[in-house]
Structure formats: C-alpha cells, structure tokens
Amino acid sequence: MMSDTLTRLAQVLEQRKGADPDSSYVAKLYGKGLDAILKKIGEEATETVMAAKDGDPDKIVYETADLWFHTLVLLAQQGLGPEHVLAELDRRFGLSGLEEKASRKPQADTQ
C-alpha cells in the first residue's frame, strides 16, 4: 500500500510536468524552477520541526506529508522517483548507521 501510494503520486507529478502552470499547483512549482521547489522543501521541513516541537501527532503527520510531497516534486523535477529512494533505503536496511556512514566515499575537497 505505501509504495503504491508513492507510485501513484509519482505518476501524477510526472503528468504535471507538461501541464499549464495556471492549471496546477505542481505545474506552477515546476515552472518556477528548482530554487522555488527547494524553498518550499525548506519551509515544509521547518513546519515539520515546529510540529514535532509542539508534540501534536496530527500536526506532525500533516506537516510530514507536506514535506514528503514536496520532496517527491523535487525528485520528479530531477528525473528521479520514489523507487530510487526506496532502493537506497533497502540497500541500507540491516546496516547499522555507523557502518553505513563509514562505507560512504569521502567527498573531494572543494577548495
């Protein structure tokens, strides 16, 4: 059920790529570009944190749904889908967090 919901939502988000920005919130976000999508994710992440601080389970779920939704918009905009994230989570399953972090390749120095 969970991945089915994500799959159906990803399909709708993909369809919205070609929609008129005046006809769809998501199409409007796509039209505004990456920075607008990232700004929205930042807003939703902050609202999720605030809901958690308030300790209201309903608000936490509501704000997390908004955060996930906007993250799915980002994934679609970048040509990715929830299956990519689920595959990464599956790859990590059974690893301790410390093992997973230790297995990451060091990032090149950008200075």
Side-chain angles (χ1 to χ4, degrees):
M1 164 146 171
M2 285 188 294
S3 64
D4 182 51
T5 300
L6 294 174
T7 300
R8 288 184 297 124
L9 182 53
Q11 290 168 346
V12 170
L13 295 176
E14 196 62 34
Q15 293 167 357
R16 295 294 193 269
K17 284 183 177 180
D20 178 354
D22 291 332
S23 70
S24 160
Y25 169 75
V26 171
K28 188 176 291 189
L29 265 180
Y30 287 144
K32 290 180 179 180
L34 180 60
D35 286 346
I37 295 168
L38 296 175
K39 180 180 177 186
K40 195 63 185 166
I41 290 172
E43 290 171 8
E44 298 303 343
T46 299
E47 290 173 4
T48 302
V49 168
M50 291 168 44
K53 292 289 277 180
D54 289 344
D56 181 339
D58 291 337
K59 282 176 62 177
I60 294 168
V61 169
Y62 183 88
E63 295 301 343
T64 300
D66 281 352
L67 178 58
W68 285 18
F69 175 83
H70 288 90
T71 302
L72 288 167
V73 171
L74 169 67
L75 288 172
Q77 193 264 352
Q78 295 290 308
L80 300 166
E83 69 276 7
H84 295 98
V85 177
L86 292 172
E88 176 60 16
L89 289 172
D90 190 52
R91 182 191 71 77
R92 294 180 188 186
F93 196 83
L95 288 177
S96 79
L98 296 175
E99 278 181 312
E100 197 282 322
K101 283 187 108 170
S103 73
R104 295 180 191 175
K105 296 177 186 170
Q107 294 186 353
D109 202 306
T110 57
Q111 295 179 359

